């Protein structure tokens, strides 16, 4: 919700966005007499409108957005580039996971390598997000526990699903 004083046009603009739809109304100084009266009317309009609109999902933590390519909130594929001592570029990929309150600022990464295939790295990242844990040994034991189960295959399917 935003209230803006537009001094050039002498109106208070009231705006609120819900489900990608912008709702806007202008409250002129000519009609309301002062900035305070116009803002009060705008505030009343917004309060009345809010009761008929769905709740805001702006700060929803577990919301899957269209930008998400992994199919799981808080899990993403990351390209990593670094230079070796001989100055040649080394590129590797990893699945990362992060959640609110994660103690690792960049999230927990699972490098895709010969020892850890893509699907396993993805499942480990999903498990880290689900358990909100950076304990690698615990997460590896969880992977072994669920390996081959329906849940294991459902996690892999989420990765293979095409984004909408």
């Amino acid at each position: 919700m935003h209230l803006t004083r537009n001094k050039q046009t002498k109106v208070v603009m009231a705006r609120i966005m819900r489900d990608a739809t912008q709702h806007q109304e202008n409250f002129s100084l000519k009609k309301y007499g002062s900035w305070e009266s116009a803002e009060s009317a705008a505030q009343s309009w917004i309060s009345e409108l809010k009761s008929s609109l769905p709740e805001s999902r702006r700060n929803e933590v577990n919301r899957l957005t269209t930008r998400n390519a992994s199919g799981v909130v808080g899990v993403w594929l990351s390209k990593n580039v670094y230079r070796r001592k001989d100055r040649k570029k080394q590129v590797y990929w990893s699945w990362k996971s992060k959640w609110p309150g994660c103690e690792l600022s960049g999230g927990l990464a699972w490098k895709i390598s010969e020892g850890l295939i893509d699907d396993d790295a993805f499942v480990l990242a999903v498990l880290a997000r689900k358990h909100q844990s950076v304990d690698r040994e615990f997460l590896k034991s969880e992977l072994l526990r669920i390996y081959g189960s329906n849940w294991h295959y459902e996690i892999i399917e989420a990765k293979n699903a095409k984004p909408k």
Side-chain angles (χ1 to χ4, degrees), residues 62-77 95 122 129 158-159 161-164:
N62 291 318
R63 185 172 74 179
L64 190 63
T65 65
T66 56
R67 295 182 342 169
N68 184 303
S70 74
V72 179
V73 174
V75 175
W76 69 96
L77 185 62
W95 281 102
F122 176 74
R129 168 71 184 192
K159 177 181 75 118
K162 299 288 181 225
K164 296 175 183 171

Side-chain angles (χ1 to χ4, degrees), residues 25-81:
E25 191 72 33
N26 292 331
F27 300 85
S28 71
L29 287 182
K30 187 174 184 178
K31 180 175 180 180
Y32 293 96
S34 69
W35 288 110
E36 292 75 23
S37 297
E39 284 178 346
S40 178
Q43 194 71 281
S44 298
W45 177 79
I46 286 177
S47 296
E48 189 177 312
L49 183 63
K50 276 174 103 174
S51 65
S52 66
L53 295 175
E55 283 294 314
S56 174
R57 298 184 325 174
R58 181 181 205 150
N59 296 325
E60 195 173 289
V61 175
N62 291 318
R63 185 172 74 179
L64 190 63
T65 65
T66 56
R67 295 182 342 169
N68 184 303
S70 74
V72 179
V73 174
V75 175
W76 69 96
L77 185 62
S78 176
K79 180 181 180 181
N80 305 280
V81 180

Side-chain angles (χ1 to χ4, degrees), residues 4 7 11 16-17 32 57 60 74 87-88 100-101 104 106 127 142 161:
T4 306
K7 293 181 180 175
V11 298
I16 187 167
M17 182 87 118
Y32 293 96
R57 298 184 325 174
E60 195 173 289
R87 303 298 298 153
K88 289 185 180 177
L104 301 175
L127 290 172
E142 276 294 289

Side-chain angles (χ1 to χ4, degrees), residues 121-138:
F122 176 74
V123 172
L124 284 164
V126 171
L127 290 172
R129 168 71 184 192
K130 180 189 179 298
H131 292 289
Q132 296 188 358
S133 173
V134 294
D135 183 349
R136 289 178 173 275
E137 293 307 313
F138 166 73

